[in-house]
């Protein structure tokens, strides 16, 4: 099963970070263990992408999903994950490379490698030196997703969505509490955005600086209904959440789901003026992968302009293949919340590699926040 927009009915598998298996007819066409085990973010691929690869290559793809870098990392560091292709965020991949989790990529096996955006690759090389271990799959921003009518009813207009004040001032968040507030469930995603809002270095590793973000988050806690990193798509779409900190394409998928359902819910996404984090999700092959030929074939397939465009059209996240742009729907290509214009891009910061010694602090502060201690 492939998880995505039209798989909303299968939310428990698609949104809940549980594993799902793809295969179906292709399994019959793939005797002798011709398989590929892929572990990707939920709601992050077009419906026909995996079946198209299975048909073309006669390979059975076991396609599992997660919604947090921390979950993926725990599996990778434990070893023997069984995955052939995984998709960590760049800031996590950087430290996983240092831990020896991945094999270096042989670029000669990726004939579409030359189609990757050179500017993006330079930026990525800061954390994956020489772009040795990974190629980008998609990128995006962390911002505000909201129910247009509920926000306008609470504030008289939706203007306030242009600022993190909406979410990070308790008196504002309180006004949306009645209709459902959700935050991403990951300190590594939320803390940098809060620090940036406070005028601090978003990537600070100083516990005293991080404590400033924690203090602010604690004042917001009474108004946050749920911490979750994928359920907000469906919740925004069906009207059971009205304000979220979420990822760009996910919120836009919620908007599309609501539109398609005809339930009258209007969802929008904003990149607040104070700036926010820019993430890159990276395709990589674990050092102990068993199906390396298929892994290269799948990565190369994802880099084909027509496949990358189909994925972007479906998930509303930008891909790193400029040659795909003519095939990307005009509404997506021209959407400044998907492809930020230079003045917005100037305010975006890249998440730095999180030093492993901070893990314990992040875990503790997050548990305290969630449990309200
Ligand atoms: C997938 C969202 C992934 C973005 N639904 C964060 N890496």
């Amino acid at each position: 099963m492939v998880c995505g927009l039209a798989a909303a009915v299968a939310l428990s598998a698609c949104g809940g970070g549980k594993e799902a298996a793809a295969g179906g007819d292709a399994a019959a066409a793939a005797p002798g263990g011709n398989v590929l085990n892929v572990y990707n973010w939920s709601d992050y691929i077009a419906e026909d992408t995996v079946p198209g690869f299975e048909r073309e290559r006669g390979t059975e793809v076991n396609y599992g999903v997660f919604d947090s870098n921390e979950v993926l990392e725990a599996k990778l560091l434990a070893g023997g994950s069984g995955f052939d292709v995984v998709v960590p965020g760049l800031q996590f991949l950087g430290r996983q490379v240092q831990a020896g989790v991945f094999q270096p990529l042989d670029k000669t096996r990726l004939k579409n490698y030359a189609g990757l955006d050179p500017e993006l690759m330079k930026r990525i090389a800061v954390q994956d030196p020489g772009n040795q271990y990974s190629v980008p799959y998609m990128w995006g921003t962390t911002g505000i997703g909201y129910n247009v009518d509920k926000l306008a009813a609470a504030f008289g207009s939706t203007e306030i969505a242009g600022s993190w004040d909406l979410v990070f001032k308790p008196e504002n968040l309180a006004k949306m509490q009645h209709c459902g507030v959700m935050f991403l469930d990951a300190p590594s995603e939320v803390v940098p955005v809060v620090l940036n809002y406070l005028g601090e270095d978003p990537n600070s590793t100083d516990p005293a600086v991080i404590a400033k973000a924690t203090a602010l988050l604690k004042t917001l806690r009474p108004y946050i209904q749920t911490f979750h990193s994928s359920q907000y798509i469906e919740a925004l779409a069906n009207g059971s959440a009205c304000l979220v900190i979420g990822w760009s394409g996910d919120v836009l998928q919620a908007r599309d789901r609501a539109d398609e359902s005809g339930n009258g819910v209007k969802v929008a996404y904003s990149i607040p003026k104070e700036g926010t984090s820019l993430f890159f999700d990276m395709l990589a092959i674990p050092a102990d992968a068993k199906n390396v030929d298929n892994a290269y074939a799948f990565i190369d397939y994802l880099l084909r302009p027509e496949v990358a465009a189909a994925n972007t059209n479906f998930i509303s996240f930008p891909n790193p293949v400029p040659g795909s742009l003519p095939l990307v729907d005009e509404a997506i290509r021209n959407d400044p919340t998907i492809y930020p214009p230079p003045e917005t891009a100037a305010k975006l910061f890249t998440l730095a590699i999180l030093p492993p010694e901070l893990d314990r602090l992040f875990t503790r502060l997050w548990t305290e926040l969630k449990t309200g201690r």
Side-chain angles (χ1 to χ4, degrees), residues 39-110:
Y39 198 44
N40 192 6
W41 294 82
S42 50
D43 302 292
Y44 218 30
I45 199 157
E47 279 179 307
D48 195 47
T49 301
V50 168
F53 179 78
E54 290 178 317
R55 280 195 301 272
E56 186 178 299
R57 197 167 164 88
T59 296
E60 179 188 352
V61 178
N62 298 310
Y63 187 87
V65 298
F66 58 89
D67 66 2
S68 112
N69 271 308
E70 287 81 354
V71 167
L72 169 61
E73 182 166 270
K75 295 193 186 214
L76 291 174
L77 294 181
S81 69
F83 302 131
D84 302 306
V85 176
V86 293
V87 196
L90 177 60
Q91 77 280 21
F92 276 75
L93 173 119
R95 66 189 211 165
Q96 290 154 6
V97 162
Q98 288 162 12
V101 165
F102 300 116
Q103 47 187 284
L105 293 180
D106 176 356
K107 316 287 173 45
T108 63
R109 301 179 75 175
L110 298 171

Side-chain angles (χ1 to χ4, degrees), residues 22-297:
D25 294 345
N34 184 3
V35 296
L36 175 71
N37 300 307
V38 178
Y39 198 44
N40 192 6
W41 294 82
S42 50
D43 302 292
Y44 218 30
I45 199 157
E47 279 179 307
D48 195 47
T49 301
V50 168
F53 179 78
E54 290 178 317
R55 280 195 301 272
E56 186 178 299
R57 197 167 164 88
T59 296
E60 179 188 352
V61 178
N62 298 310
Y63 187 87
V65 298
F66 58 89
D67 66 2
S68 112
N69 271 308
E70 287 81 354
V71 167
L72 169 61
E73 182 166 270
K75 295 193 186 214
L76 291 174
L77 294 181
S81 69
F83 302 131
D84 302 306
V85 176
V86 293
V87 196
L90 177 60
Q91 77 280 21
F92 276 75
L93 173 119
R95 66 189 211 165
Q96 290 154 6
V97 162
Q98 288 162 12
V101 165
F102 300 116
Q103 47 187 284
L105 293 180
D106 176 356
K107 316 287 173 45
T108 63
R109 301 179 75 175
L110 298 171
K111 67 177 176 5
N112 296 310
Y113 189 85
L116 286 161
D117 181 342
E119 283 310 309
L120 223 53
M121 296 307 280
K122 255 192 245 164
R123 211 168 164 149
I124 287 166
V126 173
Q127 289 175 48
D128 176 12
N131 302 108
Q132 274 192 84
Y133 290 90
S134 64
V135 295
Y137 173 59
M138 294 283 160
W139 56 276
T141 53
T142 301
I144 300 176
Y146 60 97
N147 179 309
V148 174
D149 294 333
K150 300 272 196 236
L151 193 70
F155 290 91
S157 85
T158 59
E159 206 187 323
I160 194 162
S163 167
W164 280 118
D165 284 347
L166 168 60
V167 178
F168 295 146
K169 282 198 189 306
E171 62 273 24
N172 289 335
L173 203 59
K175 290 192 186 164
M176 299 299 279
Q177 180 192 11
H178 66 286
C179 53
V181 173
M182 295 177 78
F183 274 29
L184 291 171
D185 187 12
S188 58
E189 305 282 346
V190 177
V191 168
V193 172
V194 176
L195 288 178
N196 179 66
Y197 171 74
L198 292 172
E200 300 287 347
D201 171 5
N203 290 306
S204 175
T205 56
D206 178 350
V209 173
I210 293 169
K212 295 184 189 179
T214 317
L216 185 143
L217 285 165
K218 282 187 175 162
T219 67
L220 307 174
R221 179 66 187 93
Y223 315 112
I224 304 167
Q225 189 179 45
T226 312
F227 290 87
H228 202 282
S229 298
S230 51
Q231 282 175 356
Y232 64 90
I233 302 179
E234 188 56 23
L236 275 175
N238 68 24
S240 61
C242 60
L243 183 61
V244 308
I245 297 184
W247 292 306
S248 45
D250 286 357
V251 173
L252 296 163
Q253 288 178 55
R255 177 197 62 191
D256 295 346
R257 269 187 212 178
D259 288 351
E260 279 162 24
S261 78
N263 64 2
V265 171
K266 290 204 279 295
V267 175
Y269 177 74
S270 145
I271 300 177
K273 64 171 191 251
E274 297 87 352
T276 191
S277 62
L278 174 68
F279 63 79
F280 300 95
D281 289 325
M282 308 302 295
L283 297 158
I285 307 178
D288 58 2
K290 300 270 185 305
N291 304 291
V292 173
D293 289 348
N294 284 340
Y296 275 104

